[in-house]
Amino acid sequence: MSRNRIVTVILSFLLVITLSFIGLKLWIYTHPQDFNGADNRPLSLQISTEDDLIMQGLWYEEQKDHANSYKVFSKLYETNHAKVYLLKKIHLSLLMNKYLDLAKKELDLLYANDPSDIEVLRLRLTLYLMQKDYENAKNNAASLLELSQDPVDREISSDAFLYANDPNKALAILKELYDESLREDVAMRIAIILSDMYGEHQQAISILLEHGSKYASQDTLHKKLLDLYVKTNNTDGIVQTSKLLYNKTRDDKYLDNIVTIAWQSYEDGECAKAQEIIKNIPNAKVLSKPDSKAHWLKIQKCDHQIPGSTTQVHK
């Protein structure tokens, strides 16, 4: 079989019909007793050709049986030493988190032979990150970025720079990627780095708010915003975001956040503000919890027009 044919087969992930057929072939091979004919002679299938082995290896991988897939592609590589089989074997090794020392030796040889091979650089980067060899990961990422503008390559490369204590470079990569893709997960990563590594909570909030104001956002973005509002003690932000998340998730913990902030306002003598905070939230849920019920009722009864009335009521 030609090299082009090998590459085409290995890189194809849309093998629904083919995989179903191979699955049947493997079942016949491993369970011949289920397919006995009238003369009681079992059917058999010998997986012997290169095509059959390729399909068998891909079928195992599709079934998440990486160990057997690894064995098949190891056999294929031992048979004809095609580079594509070696790369597939290394890929499976990383998926299993096994045979990493052997994978490293094989990747080093491949890299020495061709330092500009993008597939080899990708696998080396993954291996270095898995082994927490962040300095080599960073150097490998730099080489990869010179050759590839693939979004996944850039995103993983940003991890290498981040873990190698170069968050500025990681941020630069992610900001460029966000400007091109407007992906929410990239905006989230930028915000997390700004907040966790630089303490720039307000800048992180601004990035998430700007993204959320332009595009439909997932709950994860609002949960991160809530976390940042808590860190900065932004009570208005906590209330607004907790209401939004409760309306989307119906999780009672967000109601607890609202009542807690309202109670703080009540105790600070801001009766009107406390009543405004709990306005239009489902009181049946709140009243089912003794502590929340007590706070709710006191806030409802306080008269903000009488100076000092909140202090008198709750004592």
Side-chain angles (χ1 to χ4, degrees), residues 70 80 249 301:
Y70 179 88
N80 65 17
T249 67
K301 291 177 180 177

Side-chain angles (χ1 to χ4, degrees), residues 257-299:
N257 291 342
I258 297 167
V259 174
T260 297
I261 298 299
W263 183 248
Q264 290 175 2
S265 296
Y266 172 87
E267 291 199 310
D268 289 340
E270 298 179 272
C271 184
K273 182 176 180 180
Q275 290 177 342
E276 183 62 28
I277 289 172
I278 64 172
K279 185 179 180 181
N280 297 327
I281 68 171
N283 59 353
K285 287 276 190 178
V286 176
L287 295 176
S288 66
K289 299 180 179 181
D291 289 344
S292 296
K293 179 179 180 179
H295 292 165
W296 174 280
L297 293 175
K298 287 183 177 181
I299 292 171

Side-chain angles (χ1 to χ4, degrees), residues 247-260:
N247 289 334
K248 295 181 71 174
T249 67
R250 296 298 168 182
D251 189 330
D252 290 352
K253 69 182 179 183
Y254 299 117
L255 290 182
D256 294 339
N257 291 342
I258 297 167
V259 174
T260 297

Side-chain angles (χ1 to χ4, degrees), residues 131-253:
Q131 295 185 323
K132 299 182 180 180
D133 185 354
Y134 300 134
E135 193 61 32
N136 274 324
K138 181 180 77 170
N139 295 333
N140 197 93
S143 298
L144 180 59
L145 290 176
E146 291 178 1
L147 299 168
S148 172
Q149 286 297 304
D150 182 88
V152 175
D153 291 340
R154 291 152 73 187
E155 192 170 353
I156 295 175
S157 293
S158 74
D159 282 338
F161 286 102
L162 184 62
Y163 294 136
N165 294 318
D166 192 352
N168 287 336
K169 180 64 174 178
L171 276 175
I173 294 169
L174 291 172
K175 285 180 179 178
E176 184 181 73
L177 183 57
Y178 177 75
D179 289 342
E180 295 173 7
S181 65
L182 302 177
R183 283 169 43 193
E184 181 175 303
D185 61 318
V186 177
M188 287 277 293
R189 294 190 65 198
I190 293 170
I192 289 169
I193 293 172
L194 287 170
S195 175
D196 294 352
M197 302 199 71
Y198 290 96
E200 296 286 351
H201 306 310
Q202 293 298 340
Q203 190 176 349
I205 289 171
S206 297
I207 287 172
L208 296 183
L209 283 176
E210 182 178 359
H211 181 88
S213 68
K214 295 178 179 178
Y215 312 103
S217 302
Q218 302 297 317
D219 292 350
T220 50
L221 182 142
H222 299 292
K223 289 176 182 178
K224 184 58 184 176
L225 266 175
L226 181 59
D227 175 61
L228 290 168
Y229 285 138
V230 171
K231 284 182 179 179
T232 56
N233 197 30
N234 184 331
T235 55
D236 290 340
I238 294 172
V239 170
Q240 181 180 7
T241 308
S242 293
K243 287 182 177 181
L244 185 151
L245 282 168
Y246 176 76
N247 289 334
K248 295 181 71 174
T249 67
R250 296 298 168 182
D251 189 330
D252 290 352
K253 69 182 179 183

Side-chain angles (χ1 to χ4, degrees), residues 46-64:
Q46 297 299 323
I47 305 294
S48 57
T49 69
E50 191 171 3
D51 277 338
D52 280 342
L53 283 171
I54 291 170
M55 295 305 170
Q56 184 189 44
L58 290 172
W59 186 83
Y60 278 134
E61 185 180 14
E62 180 73 13
Q63 302 304 309
K64 308 300 182 185

